[in-house]
Amino acid sequence: MTIYLIRHGKTEANENHLYCGSTDLPLSAAGRQELQNIRYDIKNVRFLTSGMKRTDETIHILFGDVPYETDPRFREVDFGIFEMHGYDQLKNTPEYQAWLTGDNEVNIPPQGESGVQMKVRVMQALSEINEDTCIITHGGVIAAIMEHFFPEENKNRYQWQPRPGEGYCITDHTNRRIP
């Protein structure tokens, strides 16, 4: 079985370095333009998105009018009260400092979810896939999947995150960057 993991194109939140997980943003103009230059030769697969505007727009730009399904379990982590705020806005707040202290994969942002909670829901959804599938999803989701399948590479979440519009192809527990 082959699984393609492709990160959605850029949004204004990406461009402004804001935490954006549960906020349903569209692609930015620059994000749409950048995707126009990416070409994939992926055929005869099931297409799946997280159902967010940015993933649905990405699939249309990259693959045209292909049929696809949505599964909200492939959504990005919910950053709770930190959504749509950047480091400079948050750095002096006690809640943010508490979240950053220690293991922020386990720490839960107020009104949000932890990286571990996100990974549990994502891996449950992934375990139900039994055919070649191309998933248009989010950077944190892709990183969680890659960390799970390739722990021997000793990469952290940020090292696994592909650039917008790019991703990985996983076949028989081997991986390669795409495009």
Side-chain angles (χ1 to χ4, degrees), residues 126-142:
L126 193 64
S127 74
E128 296 170 14
I129 293 176
N130 57 12
E131 61 188 305
D132 293 348
T133 303
C134 179
I135 306 169
I136 310 298
T137 187
H138 308 269
V141 170
I142 293 170

Side-chain angles (χ1 to χ4, degrees), residues 79-100:
F79 292 105
I81 66 170
F82 306 142
E83 279 282 321
M84 300 307 293
H85 294 89
Y87 174 78
D88 287 335
Q89 295 169 299
L90 297 168
K91 66 184 176 187
N92 296 320
T93 64
E95 297 89 356
Y96 185 68
Q97 288 303 317
W99 179 61
L100 288 181

Side-chain angles (χ1 to χ4, degrees), residues 24-85:
D24 196 10
L25 293 181
L27 298 175
S28 67
R32 285 189 293 281
Q33 182 61 42
E34 288 172 1
L35 292 177
Q36 298 291 335
N37 299 319
I38 298 175
R39 294 289 170 256
Y40 287 103
D41 186 25
I42 299 174
K43 298 175 185 149
N44 303 316
V45 300
R46 172 186 180 203
F47 285 96
L48 186 63
T49 76
S50 70
M52 304 290 279
K53 290 175 187 173
R54 55 195 182 263
T55 60
D56 291 353
E57 287 182 41
T58 298
I59 197 169
H60 289 297
I61 294 170
L62 293 178
F63 298 101
D65 194 24
V66 297
Y68 68 96
E69 302 165 52
T70 63
D71 188 335
R73 294 177 296 175
F74 286 107
R75 290 184 176 183
E76 184 62 274
V77 68
D78 182 346
F79 292 105
I81 66 170
F82 306 142
E83 279 282 321
M84 300 307 293
H85 294 89

Side-chain angles (χ1 to χ4, degrees), residues 102-129:
D103 185 353
N104 69 357
E105 283 299 302
V106 175
N107 292 349
I108 302 171
Q111 301 172 30
E113 69 180 330
S114 71
V116 171
Q117 290 170 320
M118 180 267 290
K119 185 175 182 176
V120 167
R121 75 171 151 76
V122 166
M123 295 312 296
Q124 176 60 46
L126 193 64
S127 74
E128 296 170 14
I129 293 176

